[in-house]
Amino acid sequence: MKRKIYLTHCSAKKDGSLRGTGRKVTPDKLYTARPIQRFIKRCREKGVEWAIFSDLYGVWFPDVEHELYDKHPNKVTEEEYRNLLKDFDRKLEAYDEIWFYYNPGRFHPLYKRLLEETKLRDRIKLFTHIKEIE
């Protein structure tokens, strides 16, 4: 049986009430941007595996908790990028298909580069419509 996961990138819009609390939450609680919330809702409705790609934490699965952070993709250093790439390859190597949901108008060059340079690039399918999650 092939393993498939749906992934999308993080967003700057986060739950500000967490700022300064040190509280750790799952990605569905942290990211408040509508596209991410719609992505998560659709994945849950369809019962599929999913994760968020965070500029700080890398591949973030729904059962993992992290603190609020502010890390813009423009601020990712080369060393941090290499670590994010290794994290991506390690955490997703068990999947045969990696479906990456994105908005073409907001697709940061960092994510484009990551998807081109990962050793898993042949397993990646880019998609832009939430209805493709099934």
Side-chain angles (χ1 to χ4, degrees):
M1 177 98 178
K2 284 193 172 198
R3 275 188 85 190
K4 181 194 287 192
I5 188 166
Y6 292 90
L7 197 66
T8 193
H9 57 80
C10 61
S11 74
K13 200 168 181 191
K14 301 177 182 84
D15 181 353
S17 73
L18 296 167
R19 192 169 314 284
T21 66
R23 233 176 87 218
K24 292 182 176 187
V25 294
T26 52
D28 60 315
K29 302 276 189 291
L30 180 67
Y31 299 110
T32 57
R34 256 181 278 161
I36 292 185
Q37 286 297 316
R38 281 195 302 265
F39 168 83
I40 293 169
K41 182 176 188 277
R42 176 76 177 196
C43 288
R44 286 182 171 154
E45 286 170 353
K46 295 295 179 180
V48 297
E49 290 188 72
W50 62 273
I52 306 292
F53 181 78
S54 158
D55 302 326
L56 181 65
Y57 300 122
V59 176
W60 187 357
F61 292 104
D63 58 339
V64 176
E65 295 184 338
H66 287 298
E67 288 183 39
L68 172 74
Y69 70 96
D70 288 308
K71 180 76 172 178
H72 191 280
N74 287 346
K75 302 291 185 194
V76 172
T77 66
E78 260 316 297
E79 183 182 357
E80 289 168 333
Y81 170 78
R82 284 191 302 276
N83 289 332
L84 289 170
L85 184 60
K86 279 184 212 155
D87 177 83
F88 187 94
D89 288 345
R90 183 177 53 83
K91 287 182 180 169
L92 298 176
E93 67 185 348
Y95 294 92
D96 302 295
E97 295 179 29
I98 302 161
W99 287 57
F100 197 95
Y101 173 65
Y102 75 107
N103 175 339
R106 296 184 180 196
F107 195 46
H108 195 279
L110 177 80
Y111 310 131
K112 186 175 183 324
R113 179 181 171 200
L114 179 89
L115 297 177
E116 288 170 353
E117 295 182 1
T118 172
K119 65 183 180 186
L120 307 175
R121 68 185 148 276
D122 295 339
R123 304 179 196 182
I124 294 172
K125 175 167 179 11
L126 294 171
F127 71 106
T128 57
H129 297 289
I130 214 100
K131 67 180 189 295
E132 294 182 69
I133 298 171
E134 41 189 46

